[in-house]
Amino acid sequence: MKIKKGLALILALVMIITLMPTMAFAKTTNSVVKTYTVATDSDMPVVAIDLRADDSTGISANNVKFRINLENAVWSTDDQPTAGNLLDTQTATATGEATNLALAFKDADSYGDAGLGFTKVDENGQETAIPVGAIDITNTVDEDFAEVTLDLSAAANNIAKNSYLRIYLALTAGGEEGEVNVNIDANDSALSGGNFTVATASDNTTTASVTGTVKSYPRQTVTGANVEIRETSVSAIGTGYQVLRLTLPSGYTWSDLSIAGDLAEENDLVEIGTNDQGEPIMESRLINLMSKDENTYKADGVTRWLVDDLDNPGTPNGAYTVVNDRTLYVRVDTDAEAGVRESMILTPTFIIERDATMGDVSLSISSYRSDVNKVANASDLVIAVYGDDTVSVTTLAEDDQPEVVAGYLEDSDADPFVVQVTLEESTTDSLVTDRYIDFDFNGEIQVADEGYPIHYYVGNGNKNYDDGAVLDPEAIDIDGIDGDRSTFTLNLSKDTDLMDEWDPDEPNRITFYVPVTAEANYTGDIELTVSGSRAGVDETTLTVGTVIAPITVETEVTDIINGAQDQAVADIVITENVPGYLNADENIVVSLDTLNLDGFAFDSADVAVTDGDLSIATKIKEGTETITIPVEDISTEISTITISDVIVNLGRNLPEGEYEISVGGNALVENSKYLNYDADEDTGDFAGATVKVPYLNITTAADTEKGVNATFTDGQASYTLNGETVEMDVAPYIDSNNRMLVPIRYAANAMGVSDDNIQWNSYTQTGTISGAMGVVRVTVGSTNLITSNGTITMDTVAVNTNNRIYVPVRYIANALGASVSWDPATRTATFTS
């Protein structure tokens, strides 16, 4: 069928019209004037919705009836629209119509007042009230909806095209987080309906965020990035006060804090005293008081800052800041402005201490006390970074590193043993004033005393120790506690001499020359860990030298019998590793470690230099536990001392087992008398022997057979006894002195002692074993093992671990009449008797 052209055109137009959005024919275009973020269950700022007339006739019907539905909100009966809280109060006041905007619509039968107000706004923004008589709210009103009828028949009330009907709503947000919506159901009136989000409700009162750049710092006093505490909704905090608890990580301590922002009350001053003219001295009650030394004190080892009392803002000098220096409590008065979300800005200043861990420095915030809504907790606010590798740390090439002779302070040329470490800036000011640099040697290495100062050289190229300048003593801190000088700290300051040589415009290079000495019996690498710089040097460990022993000792283990005299034992050969180190006019001392028990003596021996040009005295001290060899003159070539035809006498006091000889004496160990040790303190191997080697194995007569063979293995909760496995409820372990500790009960059981013959005194922490070899008594924490034959001094102590008494395996085995051997591969100790 054919269709005429005119009819086809009409049908096409109809189809186009039906495809157009219906909103094209909307009577009004609706919009929310301003949206807010608000707190749940709280009164909101007055919100407004504009309905703009799009039709050429405007909105002028006799009755415009529509319904307002609230979602996640109810009417606020305490805060109806007034001239004081409308958005356009200035215009409303200028028209003289503002008083008509405060409308209370009473529903006598049910809910009460609804927070509603209406104005009309012309296309120029001029706002005019709609008279009260033109408005009717029907009886169908509840806490979350209202039916409204407007009589716009009067010309004064007409809403012309491009003018607005403005609806003001005073609401209380609901208890759910999320959108607060207003739905307008137009009821086919002259208005267009719709759903409008007027606010977002949130449970949190504030958010905290870091503003500005987070920078990297070395160990120093740092001003971190600002932290903004911002209200999540208008008036979420309110006017009152907050006591904030601000916590830094462990190893960081507070130095200062400043607070700004419109949420913090301005000009918060208190009188802290008067000047000479009697005029009041005003000080901010914010935390800047804490930076003044005269306003700090310590109690119970805790630093406290004196600022205002928490509850009485007009009273200065209340104890304010407590808790281990990293937690700060500060009172802030808040001054909230209605209808505006506000914030306060915290600027933290803190000190990076030596024990601080490199990485992010995070601030945690919580409200300790408040008389209004509390600031929300916040954590992991990164305000700074400790450490950024901008300084390289190097030392000499391996082939150029020094050899340090153990036990000595000087080499054969009377020069100190010196290690070098160089710090080089990658950029200018990588190392600046008042920055700490920590130096940590392995424990067997000590920094020499004041007679051998640390030198330094600023510039390129390698220098000798004597070419460097002496480091200002004020710049160095060496602990020196109980003889431990393995750690020291440098503080590069403008007050030190070296800063005069510093180039402020170019990267610098500084080399430190550190005189050191090593334990008498240590051989191996000298390791140095360096940390700290402008950006913090990552923990860098370098090998800066090697320690060698001055001598080697060769001998063999000889079996000898308890109670026998005139027993021949093996020769002892002492050979220099480097010439010229056996000091003249001092003694070499060879001694047997008898556990401090009597009953052993060297009866005689021949001592001679069998190679080289070392000069020793021919007279030696015999008939004691030691052989003493006086050195008359040093060697110029490697020399050897041979002790031959050695005869020993042995009483019956020493337990069976293997015994070591040690070779030491002032001819070999000189560093202990130069280091600043307390004479009453045990200085350990720095005053001990250079070399210890097994020498004698004491046994009983051949007809004494006990037939005991027991093995204890590190970490294994069972032991073997003559091939049988015996379970234990605890396991042996290796202590910090590298000694295996075994439970005393099982060690005694292995030697045939029953539980009935093991006594424990919990008051004195003493265990007593009664066995075939006599009585053995051990006390927790003591190095003495008391036996029927005398006291054995151990090189470690008995301990109480998990209610089990542990004793060193070697000493308890010897005391109970057994010898003990050690297999380092399997970490197993074997008792035999």
Side-chain angles (χ1 to χ4, degrees):
M1 181 178 64
K2 296 183 178 179
I3 301 176
K4 293 183 178 181
K5 291 184 178 179
L7 178 59
L9 179 60
I10 292 172
L11 291 174
L13 290 173
V14 170
M15 292 181 63
I16 294 172
I17 292 172
T18 59
L19 292 174
M20 293 178 65
T22 57
M23 65 177 295
F25 297 98
K27 303 161 189 175
T28 58
T29 301
N30 307 332
S31 61
V32 177
V33 176
K34 182 177 181 181
T35 59
Y36 295 90
T37 301
V38 299
T40 55
D41 290 320
S42 65
D43 286 340
M44 297 167 40
V46 173
V47 296
I49 300 175
D50 281 347
L51 289 74
R52 187 184 71 178
D54 292 326
D55 190 82
S56 60
T57 60
I59 304 172
S60 58
N62 288 338
N63 293 303
V64 176
K65 187 175 181 179
F66 57 95
R67 180 185 175 110
I68 298 176
N69 298 295
L70 307 180
E71 297 177 8
N72 196 26
V74 296
W75 301 112
S76 173
T77 58
D78 296 328
D79 189 17
Q80 294 179 18
T82 66
N85 60 22
L86 295 178
L87 296 179
D88 196 0
T89 56
Q90 182 177 1
T91 302
T93 301
T95 64
E97 303 290 346
T99 55
N100 291 330
L101 302 184
L103 301 177
F105 302 105
K106 183 68 177 176
D107 175 11
D109 296 331
S110 57
Y111 180 65
D113 297 338
L116 276 171
F118 301 89
T119 66
K120 66 175 183 177
V121 185
D122 66 21
E123 58 186 354
N124 297 318
Q126 185 72 25
E127 190 168 7
T128 306
I130 295 176
V132 173
I135 303 171
D136 178 46
I137 296 181
T138 71
N139 289 339
T140 55
V141 63
D142 207 341
E143 65 177 5
D144 60 356
F145 75 89
E147 294 277 0
V148 181
T149 301
L150 299 181
D151 183 1
L152 303 179
S153 59
N157 299 335
N158 288 346
I159 309 296
K161 183 180 180 181
N162 295 327
S163 294
Y164 299 82
L165 171 65
R166 177 165 291 175
I167 305 174
Y168 288 105
L169 306 100
L171 307 177
T172 298
E176 297 182 2
E177 287 195 294
E179 294 180 348
V180 176
N181 293 320
V182 175
N183 178 270
I184 297 178
D185 184 351
N187 291 334
D188 297 323
S189 68
L191 306 178
S192 298
N195 198 59
F196 308 96
T197 298
V198 296
T200 301
S202 173
D203 281 341
N204 287 331
T205 55
T206 60
T207 59
S209 60
V210 177
T211 61
T213 303
V214 177
K215 298 180 180 180
S216 297
Y217 298 93
R219 203 176 91 225
Q220 63 180 72
T221 299
V222 170
T223 297
N226 292 336
V227 174
E228 181 183 30
I229 299 175
R230 184 172 181 81
E231 291 179 300
T232 57
S233 58
V234 292
S235 302
I237 293 299
T239 298
Y241 76 83
Q242 300 278 331
V243 177
L244 302 180
R245 176 167 48 206
L246 310 175
T247 305
L248 295 166
S250 178
Y252 299 83
T253 59
W254 282 100
S255 174
D256 202 353
L257 177 74
S258 65
I259 303 177
D262 48 15
L263 186 58
E265 185 175 325
E266 297 181 1
N267 301 318
D268 191 13
L269 303 177
V270 294
E271 183 178 337
I272 61 172
T274 57
N275 58 24
D276 294 339
Q277 290 75 38
E279 298 169 338
I281 300 174
M282 305 302 291
E283 180 64 87
S284 171
R285 193 162 48 75
L286 297 181
I287 204 63
N288 57 344
L289 268 177
M290 62 184 279
S291 64
K292 296 180 169 59
D293 292 339
E294 63 270 18
N295 290 307
T296 65
Y297 72 98
K298 276 187 176 286
D300 303 325
V302 176
T303 299
R304 305 168 191 268
W305 285 276
L306 299 180
V307 296
D308 297 299
D309 181 74
L310 298 180
D311 297 314
N312 300 295
T315 305
N317 297 334
Y320 210 140
T321 299
V322 293
V323 188
N324 67 18
D325 291 349
R326 72 185 184 98
T327 301
L328 174 66
Y329 293 79
V330 56
R331 173 176 172 138
V332 183
D333 284 347
T334 56
D335 185 14
E337 180 180 345
V340 179
R341 280 197 292 162
E342 298 180 306
S343 66
M344 67 177 75
I345 307 296
L346 310 182
T347 304
T349 301
F350 55 91
I351 301 169
I352 304 175
E353 305 291 356
R354 178 168 182 172
D355 58 348
T357 300
M358 285 191 177
D360 291 345
V361 183
S362 297
L363 177 66
S364 295
I365 300 173
S366 62
S367 182
Y368 175 73
R369 186 180 303 169
S370 175
D371 67 344
V372 290
N373 293 335
K374 288 186 175 182
V375 166
N377 294 348
S379 59
D380 299 326
L381 299 168
V382 178
I383 56 176
V385 176
Y386 173 27
D388 183 11
D389 191 8
T390 59
V391 177
S392 64
V393 182
T394 58
T395 188
L396 296 173
E398 183 176 356
D399 292 344
D400 297 326
Q401 291 177 3
E403 282 189 338
V404 175
V405 180
Y408 291 87
L409 286 164
E410 297 177 344
D411 62 20
S412 56
D413 295 325
D415 294 323
F417 296 109
V418 175
V419 297
Q420 294 184 34
V421 60
T422 298
L423 277 65
E424 187 167 4
E425 295 179 308
S426 59
T427 60
T428 303
D429 290 336
S430 294
L431 284 170
V432 295
T433 60
D434 296 321
R435 300 295 188 263
Y436 296 97
I437 306 173
D438 299 322
F439 295 76
D440 295 276
F441 288 100
N442 48 313
E444 300 86 357
I445 307 301
Q446 303 278 287
V447 180
D449 75 348
E450 295 176 0
Y452 305 88
I454 297 175
H455 287 186
Y456 73 92
Y457 174 75
V458 176
N460 296 321
N462 292 322
K463 302 289 182 179
N464 295 320
Y465 172 71
D466 292 335
D467 296 329
V470 175
L471 188 67
D472 188 336
E474 295 295 324
I476 187 169
D477 177 23
I478 299 181
D479 293 336
I481 299 173
D482 295 339
D484 183 10
R485 295 168 60 87
S486 63
T487 298
F488 66 94
T489 298
L490 291 181
N491 181 10
L492 302 184
S493 170
K494 288 183 177 178
D495 295 334
T496 62
D497 292 338
L498 70 88
M499 299 312 295
D500 293 336
E501 304 170 31
W502 210 253
D503 188 336
D505 301 318
E506 296 292 337
N508 286 276
R509 184 176 189 268
I510 181 170
T511 300
F512 295 99
Y513 306 87
V514 185
V516 296
T517 187
E519 278 189 40
N521 68 347
Y522 176 71
T523 57
D525 290 338
I526 301 174
E527 293 187 343
L528 175 61
T529 299
V530 183
S531 60
S533 73
R534 165 72 173 65
V537 176
D538 288 341
E539 191 170 281
T540 304
T541 300
L542 306 170
T543 298
V544 295
T546 305
V547 178
I548 63 172
I551 60 170
T552 57
V553 177
E554 297 176 282
T555 188
E556 295 179 354
V557 177
T558 304
D559 290 337
I560 59 175
I561 299 172
N562 249 329
Q565 307 296 302
D566 297 328
Q567 299 185 76
V569 295
D571 293 349
I572 302 168
V573 179
I574 302 170
T575 302
E576 290 183 299
N577 291 327
V578 285
Y581 277 90
L582 294 176
N583 292 328
D585 301 322
E586 300 288 358
N587 295 325
I588 301 170
V589 178
V590 180
S591 60
L592 185 74
D593 182 1
T594 61
L595 309 177
N596 285 341
L597 297 177
D598 297 330
F600 170 84
F602 288 104
D603 183 72
S604 63
D606 292 333
V607 181
V609 174
T610 54
D611 197 7
D613 60 354
L614 179 71
S615 176
I616 61 174
T618 56
K619 182 179 179 180
I620 65 173
K621 187 177 182 180
E622 300 169 354
T624 66
E625 297 173 356
T626 63
I627 297 174
T628 302
I629 307 171
V631 177
E632 293 186 332
D633 201 0
I634 63 173
S635 64
T636 60
E637 57 187 64
I638 292 177
S639 300
T640 299
I641 300 172
T642 302
I643 305 174
S644 59
D645 298 328
V646 183
I647 304 297
V648 300
N649 298 324
L650 190 62
R652 296 186 178 273
N653 288 343
L654 271 65
E656 295 178 5
E658 192 173 84
Y659 292 80
E660 294 178 324
I661 57 168
S662 60
V663 181
N666 289 339
L668 285 163
V669 186
E670 69 173 14
N671 52 14
S672 63
K673 65 182 179 180
Y674 289 105
L675 294 174
N676 293 326
Y677 292 140
D678 186 334
D680 295 329
E681 296 287 342
D682 178 11
T683 57
D685 290 317
F686 278 92
T690 297
V691 177
K692 293 182 179 181
V693 294
Y695 187 54
L696 299 178
N697 182 40
I698 298 177
T699 64
T700 57
D703 60 350
T704 301
E705 295 181 0
K706 296 182 180 178
V708 172
N709 184 291
T711 62
F712 291 81
T713 301
D714 175 34
Q716 184 170 307
S718 63
Y719 68 97
T720 62
L721 178 60
N722 295 331
E724 298 291 331
T725 299
V726 180
E727 298 295 330
M728 300 184 289
D729 58 355
V730 291
Y733 66 94
I734 306 298
D735 73 359
S736 59
N737 292 319
N738 205 28
R739 293 288 184 264
M740 174 183 269
L741 301 185
V742 298
I744 190 172
R745 168 191 165 194
Y746 297 108
N749 291 163
M751 292 301 298
V753 180
S754 67
D755 287 349
D756 291 340
N757 289 324
I758 303 172
Q759 306 294 323
W760 170 248
N761 187 325
S762 59
Y763 180 76
T764 62
Q765 294 281 290
T766 299
T768 303
I769 302 171
S770 301
M773 296 297 293
V775 176
V776 178
R777 182 175 292 112
V778 61
T779 300
V780 172
S782 173
T783 58
N784 292 329
L785 198 63
I786 310 300
T787 75
S788 299
N789 297 319
T791 299
I792 299 174
T793 300
M794 303 181 290
D795 60 359
T796 188
V797 298
V799 296
N800 186 337
T801 302
N802 297 327
N803 294 320
R804 290 291 184 270
I805 307 308
Y806 284 75
V807 291
V809 61
R810 171 193 171 195
Y811 297 99
I812 193 64
N814 292 162
L816 293 174
S819 60
V820 63
S821 61
W822 171 250
D823 185 349
T826 62
R827 301 172 74 83
T828 298
T830 302
F831 290 18
T832 55
S833 66

